[in-house]
């Protein structure tokens, strides 16, 4: 009998009890709107901003309605106007080109390497095409940020970081989200903090953050933000910046604050699971692991490997066989978008020329979620199943050829 895994790849941990208590407090007093405060009270949302600013080392932080909203707000605050081109990753998730489209921008895709990061040679070649790079640290893989920033500084490109998969991660000791003008994070259920929906923005730039706060729908109540630039910064900006409502509320902030206090510890748990899977898959013929650079302080909430240059049929066979044993894998090479996964050529509102080298890599990317509801033993079992099924299909291919 072959082993079967029965865990749920989409099942996250429950909200911690102190988060539930804090949420109940907010519901009991009824002041859910972030600007609805009792005399002398600092809203949960403002406190979350202070704490997340401290966590990342940023001067300013803004909590918003979603990660996608955070990115679009960062783009707007950085001055992207309708018709402007925005460089971004070809390998990412749909909300990234979606955020560019939300501000009327035109995505210009940059290729992916076998290390699953943005191709810096390709970025250099396209650097003259746009003034802004929306850099997605897709699936938590961080490129050589020192080189990326040098390329962008030389070309006069403003960098905005999509840190939906790198909350708590770093490059050479600098927190992810702290290299660019803005770092954008998501607190949607499948990310590192869970408030159902939600987003966070950090920046050291007073003017850009003042614009972001106005954009998020602060009305003239920006002085109730405690991780914000001083009121003088808003003097002119408040007349010039539209209100595009996308605030966070106190209920979500109350759920998030206790989780943020545990984030470092949680990151350790994610990485322990990652390392078990990695060790279990190492040396599997035909399967390429993604080696993590020394400088990358990553946080794994998912696992990727490559079935490089395999035929589509063989990749599909592996995914089907693992699925039959309870291991849910996703494939970035599929021609048709499915579930949360889609490819740059599916985003037809932003058409792009074919990218043969990127297509070759996407065709081999297999992806798996790694929720903290999985034990280390679960991870061991998952790795055994993948290893066995990759082996089986690999052997069958070798015999057929
Ligand atoms: C989830 C995600 C986002 C957007 O976050 P939402 O909160 O769902 O809007 C952006 N980029 C990437 C890579 C993501 O995975």
């Amino acid at each position: 009998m072959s082993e079967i895994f029965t865990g749920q790849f989409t099942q996250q941990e429950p909200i911690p009890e102190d988060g539930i208590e804090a949420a109940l407090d907010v519901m009991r007093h009824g002041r859910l709107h972030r600007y609805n405060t009792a005399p002398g009270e600092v809203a949960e949302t403002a406190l979350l901003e202070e704490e997340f600013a401290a966590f990342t080392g940023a001067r300013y932080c803004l909590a918003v309605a979603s990660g996608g909203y955070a990115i679009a707000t960062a783009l707007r605050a950085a001055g992207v106007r309708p018709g402007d081109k925005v460089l971004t990753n070809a390998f990412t998730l749909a909300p990234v080109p979606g955020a560019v489209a939300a501000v009327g921008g035109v995505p210009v895709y940059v290729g992916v390497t076998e290390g699953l990061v943005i191709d810096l040679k390709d970025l250099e070649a396209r650097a003259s095409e746009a003034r802004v790079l929306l850099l997605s640290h897709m699936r938590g893989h961080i490129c050589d940020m020192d080189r990326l920033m040098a390329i962008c500084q030389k070309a006069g490109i403003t960098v905005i970081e999509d840190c939906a998969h790198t909350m708590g991660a770093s490059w050479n000791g600098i927190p992810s989200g702290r290299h660019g003008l803005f770092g954008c994070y998501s607190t949607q259920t499948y990310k590192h903090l869970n408030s159902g929906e939600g987003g966070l923005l950090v920046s050291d730039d007073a003017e850009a953050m003042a614009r972001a706060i106005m954009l998020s729908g602060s009305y003239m109540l920006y002085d109730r933000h405690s991780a914000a630039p001083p009121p003088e910064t808003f003097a002119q900006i408040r007349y010039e910046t539209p209100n595009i409502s996308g605030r966070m509320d106190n209920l979500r902030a109350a759920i998030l604050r206790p989780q943020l206090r545990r984030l470092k510890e949680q990151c350790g748990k994610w990485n322990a699971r990652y390392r078990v899977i990695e060790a279990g898959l190492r040396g599997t013929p035909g399967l390429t692991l993604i080696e993590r650079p020394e400088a990358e302080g990553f946080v794994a909430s998912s696992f990727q490997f490559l079935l490089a240059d395999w035929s589509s049929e063989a990749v599909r066979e592996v995914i089907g066989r693992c699925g039959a044993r309870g291991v849910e894998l996703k494939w970035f090479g599929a021609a048709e978008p499915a579930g949360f996964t889609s490819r740059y050529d599916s985003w037809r509102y932003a058409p792009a020329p074919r990218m043969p080298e990127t297509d070759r890599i996407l065709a081999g990317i297999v992806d798996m979620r790694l929720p903290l509801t999985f034990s280390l033993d679960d991870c061991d079992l998952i790795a055994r199943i993948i290893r066995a099924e990759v082996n089986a299909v690999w052997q069958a291919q070798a015999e057929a050829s």
Side-chain angles (χ1 to χ4, degrees):
M1 265 302 283
S2 54
E3 296 174 293
I4 303 256
F5 179 64
T6 54
Q8 289 301 318
F9 281 80
T10 49
Q11 184 60 58
Q12 304 289 47
E13 291 181 302
I15 301 302
E17 285 303 321
D18 46 354
I20 295 172
E21 277 305 312
L24 288 175
D25 284 347
V26 171
M27 286 191 279
R28 288 195 178 107
H29 68 53
R31 293 184 295 278
L32 273 70
H33 192 285
R34 68 169 297 162
Y35 302 124
N36 182 200
T37 48
E41 182 183 27
V42 181
E44 288 282 342
T45 311
L47 292 171
L48 172 67
E49 290 166 344
E50 286 180 30
E51 289 159 6
F52 196 72
F55 178 80
T56 54
R59 291 171 72 175
Y60 311 121
C61 176
L62 172 67
V64 295
S66 75
Y69 183 89
I71 299 171
T73 301
L75 292 169
R76 260 197 202 96
V80 175
R81 297 280 168 266
D84 287 357
K85 289 182 176 172
V86 176
L87 293 158
T88 194
N89 305 55
F91 172 49
T92 187
L93 285 186
V96 176
V100 177
V103 302
V106 180
V108 175
Y109 300 113
V110 184
V112 64
T113 70
E114 288 187 352
L116 303 192
V117 296
I118 193 164
D119 181 344
L120 295 179
K121 278 203 208 86
D122 195 22
L123 175 65
E124 221 162 4
R126 292 167 192 268
S128 62
E129 292 182 40
R131 287 179 35 257
V132 173
L133 166 66
L134 170 54
L135 172 65
S136 184
H137 302 295
M138 179 60 173
R139 283 309 192 225
H141 296 276
I142 304 176
C143 73
D144 181 340
M145 287 302 295
D146 304 316
R147 220 183 116 206
L148 178 131
M149 292 310 293
I151 293 168
C152 290
Q153 267 149 21
K154 186 162 162 241
I157 292 174
T158 299
V159 178
I160 291 170
E161 297 179 69
D162 164 24
C163 304
H165 303 160
T166 55
M167 188 186 277
S170 60
W171 179 265
N172 264 332
I174 297 177
S176 186
R178 301 288 294 125
H179 289 86
L181 176 68
F182 280 106
C184 310
Y185 307 79
S186 168
T187 63
Q188 186 235 78
T189 294
Y190 300 110
K191 316 294 163 112
H192 300 98
L193 299 180
N194 176 10
S195 59
E197 303 286 353
L200 291 157
L201 269 172
V202 298
S203 183
D204 282 350
D205 188 296
E207 273 197 41
M209 186 51 95
R211 280 195 288 272
I213 290 170
M214 292 300 299
L215 285 164
S216 77
S218 67
Y219 302 94
M220 298 301 147
L221 303 169
Y222 42 79
D223 61 346
R224 302 217 190 147
H225 288 244
S226 39
E232 313 81 271
T233 320
F234 292 83
Q236 204 53 42
I237 283 165
R238 64 190 196 146
Y239 299 109
E240 294 164 356
T241 312
N243 175 325
I244 305 177
S245 280
R247 293 171 300 272
M248 183 178 278
D249 58 84
N250 290 331
L251 187 54
R252 292 185 213 182
I255 293 171
L256 290 169
R257 292 181 60 217
Q259 294 180 55
L260 179 57
R261 290 198 283 274
R262 289 185 188 82
L263 181 57
K264 266 215 169 76
E265 187 191 322
Q266 297 285 88
C267 292
K269 291 185 193 167
W270 265 300
N271 287 1
R273 281 151 184 76
Y274 184 94
R275 292 301 188 190
V276 169
I277 303 258
E278 184 181 51
L281 294 181
R282 196 170 284 288
T284 307
L287 182 152
T288 309
L289 291 174
I290 313 298
E291 299 301 340
R292 313 299 305 232
E294 190 70 28
E296 185 194 33
F298 70 96
V299 180
S301 56
S302 62
F303 194 96
Q304 293 72 45
F305 59 83
L306 292 176
L307 297 178
D309 302 319
W310 285 43
S311 70
S312 298
E313 297 69 45
V315 176
R316 248 184 247 115
E317 174 86 9
V318 167
I319 289 167
R321 293 173 70 123
C322 288
R325 295 179 65 181
V327 175
E328 209 177 288
L329 301 177
K330 284 176 284 172
W331 181 37
F332 278 90
E336 284 302 314
F340 285 103
T341 312
S342 57
R343 209 167 61 179
Y344 73 91
D345 55 338
S346 309
W347 309 325
R348 293 187 197 163
Y349 54 86
R354 286 236 74 94
M355 307 172 75
E357 186 53 21
T358 286
D359 290 344
R360 189 182 76 78
I361 293 163
L362 290 176
I365 302 177
V366 181
D367 179 273
M368 175 173 72
R369 287 182 201 282
L370 220 47
L372 288 182
T373 49
F374 291 0
S375 68
L376 297 179
D377 285 345
D378 288 341
C379 294
D380 220 23
L381 171 58
I382 290 167
R384 281 201 301 280
I385 291 173
I386 296 173
R387 192 182 182 98
E389 297 306 334
V390 168
N391 255 321
V393 178
W394 181 257
Q395 296 300 338
Q397 286 186 103
E399 278 160 28
S401 68

